[in-house]
Amino acid sequence: MKDQINSLIERISTLKERIETEEATKNAFVMPFLQALGYDVFNPLEVIPEYVADQSTKKGEKVDYCILKDDDPIIIIECKKWQENLDLHNTQLERYFAFTKAKFGILTNGIEYFFYTDLEEVNKMDAIPFLKVNLENLKDQDLTQLNKFHKSEFNVDQIFDSASELKYLNAIKYYFENELNAPSSDFVRFFTKQVYQGKITEKVSHQFTPIVKKALNAKINETINQRLNSALNSQTIEQKEEVVSQENLSPDEIIIAEDADKGIVTTQEEVDAYNAIVDILDGTVEKEHIAFRDTKSYFGVLFDDNNRQPICRLYLNHRSKKYIGIFDEDKNEKKYQICKIAHIYKYSKEIIKAVEKYLVVESE
């Protein structure tokens, strides 16, 4: 999927200025996107173009595409020309959503994809999408979310369960970002009340607005710098300790400190694998407990950034075949062959079990 998406991104960059109609947008951008998700756009048993979504007042209205699973609609897709602002067009998709059995709706202009479901009220499409993906500004976490909609991975219940958290998480992030850039009066008042004993008048609020903005941004930058310095110092200390104590470790426990100076490059594929593992462990352990270390031999994922608490290892580079190695209760590594990053999800139970043993030790 990742390779096909990257090819589509290149196509968009090359062709978009020549695309002049909605139909051309569908052919050049949307259909390749559906193919990247594993769907056969030329098979009417899988993807139906111009799917009829009847209403009581307007018969024969049609949504651009409908994806089927076991003959039932699961996703409807409404398309616009690539230059269109999608925020202005969700009402049309909302009408179609109400008159189909599909649990998910996608509004797209071939570059941006807005994903909707019915979190607020059953069979009524939410006004706010739970996921927005922009192919011209694609992030690693976007690929992780898109993978859930791949034909081979699609599970209605799992996607719906994660949609609620994703929707409100993104909404809060958006709100917080706006407040950092331009604090509202309520936001300023909340923080001012914590430090100012007098009456908070309009004048006081005005005086504190730049102070609140500066303080919050400074604290965020300070936290980032502390974590970076802590990670660098921790890595340096542990590398020194390992050089001294390697004779006491088994071969599977050794990460060679010298590798840091041998030009190791963490690939995008390894980063995608790490994000997939974080996604699998969501609900079992917080992301901050999941760390990775790259070596020339393998890409290691660790619990609490502790070399003696391995979760798994990815063998993705310099090999004709790719593997994931997962550690059991006795820290024995069992390797499984994978053809692509999405196959990591097949071993979700084993990955979760690898972490749970460390959580038991911590609780004791």
Side-chain angles (χ1 to χ4, degrees), residues 168-261:
Y168 296 114
L169 176 67
N170 289 332
I172 292 172
K173 283 168 60 180
Y174 178 77
Y175 169 80
F176 188 63
E177 181 181 3
N178 287 341
E179 293 291 353
L180 287 177
N181 293 329
S184 65
S185 58
D186 289 340
F187 196 74
V188 172
R189 179 177 289 272
F190 171 81
F191 285 99
T192 304
K193 285 172 63 177
Q194 315 307 315
V195 297
Y196 183 74
Q197 301 302 317
K199 183 178 180 180
I200 304 176
T201 63
E202 185 176 346
K203 181 180 179 180
V204 171
S205 180
H206 181 71
Q207 289 174 338
F208 268 88
T209 296
I211 297 175
V212 169
K213 178 179 179 180
K214 185 181 294 185
L216 291 176
N217 281 282
K219 183 58 182 176
I220 290 173
N221 290 332
E222 180 183 310
T223 302
I224 292 172
N225 289 331
Q226 285 177 345
R227 290 189 177 182
L228 287 173
N229 290 331
S230 176
L232 290 172
N233 291 335
S234 175
Q235 184 176 9
T236 301
I237 292 170
E238 289 191 13
Q239 285 176 348
K240 290 180 180 178
E241 289 176 347
E242 288 171 13
V243 170
V244 175
S245 61
Q246 279 183 7
E247 64 271 15
N248 299 320
L249 302 177
S250 68
D252 280 342
E253 292 179 311
I254 296 175
I255 292 182
I256 302 173
E258 291 87 345
D259 277 348
D261 299 320

Side-chain angles (χ1 to χ4, degrees), residues 2-209:
K2 174 187 166 187
D3 291 340
Q4 288 180 282
I5 292 292
N6 286 335
S7 296
L8 176 56
I9 292 171
E10 292 180 8
R11 170 186 284 225
I12 290 171
S13 177
T14 303
L15 297 180
K16 69 178 183 180
E17 298 299 336
R18 299 185 181 184
I19 302 298
E20 298 181 352
T21 65
E22 178 182 307
E23 197 63 31
T25 299
K26 289 193 286 186
N27 292 335
F29 300 155
V30 180
M31 289 175 67
F33 179 81
L34 298 181
Q35 289 176 315
L37 293 182
Y39 299 103
D40 184 354
V41 296
F42 302 108
N43 182 355
L45 300 178
E46 198 163 294
V47 179
I48 301 179
E50 297 297 308
Y51 182 77
V52 176
D54 282 335
Q55 301 187 66
S56 58
T57 56
K58 294 183 180 180
K59 297 294 182 180
E61 281 204 327
K62 299 176 181 179
V63 65
D64 290 308
Y65 296 103
C66 179
I67 296 177
L68 305 178
K69 182 177 182 180
D70 299 327
D71 293 329
D72 290 325
I74 55 173
I75 305 172
I76 58 172
I77 304 158
E78 180 63 18
C79 305
K80 300 299 173 185
K81 185 184 172 184
W82 71 270
Q83 295 165 311
E84 291 289 329
N85 182 351
L86 295 183
D87 292 321
L88 305 177
H89 294 286
N90 64 339
T91 54
Q92 188 176 10
L93 180 64
E94 183 179 3
R95 292 202 310 270
Y96 299 147
F97 188 92
F99 288 91
T100 70
K101 295 180 180 180
K103 196 65 176 176
F104 302 101
I106 300 176
L107 178 63
T108 181
N109 58 14
I111 297 175
E112 292 181 288
Y113 288 81
F114 290 4
F115 292 76
Y116 296 85
T117 187
D118 55 351
L119 293 168
E120 304 291 340
E121 185 178 338
V122 177
N123 296 330
K124 181 179 180 181
M125 192 183 86
D126 298 333
I128 300 174
F130 67 87
L131 175 64
K132 290 184 178 182
V133 174
N134 187 331
L135 296 184
E136 292 186 316
N137 186 27
L138 193 66
K139 300 178 178 62
D140 294 335
Q141 57 265 36
D142 293 334
L143 283 170
T144 301
Q145 296 301 327
L146 287 178
N147 185 69
K148 296 177 182 180
F149 286 88
H150 194 279
K151 178 183 175 181
S152 63
E153 305 293 335
F154 188 87
N155 183 296
V156 172
D157 294 333
Q158 288 181 3
I159 298 175
F160 189 77
D161 287 344
S162 64
S164 179
E165 179 181 354
L166 194 61
K167 174 183 176 180
Y168 296 114
L169 176 67
N170 289 332
I172 292 172
K173 283 168 60 180
Y174 178 77
Y175 169 80
F176 188 63
E177 181 181 3
N178 287 341
E179 293 291 353
L180 287 177
N181 293 329
S184 65
S185 58
D186 289 340
F187 196 74
V188 172
R189 179 177 289 272
F190 171 81
F191 285 99
T192 304
K193 285 172 63 177
Q194 315 307 315
V195 297
Y196 183 74
Q197 301 302 317
K199 183 178 180 180
I200 304 176
T201 63
E202 185 176 346
K203 181 180 179 180
V204 171
S205 180
H206 181 71
Q207 289 174 338
F208 268 88
T209 296

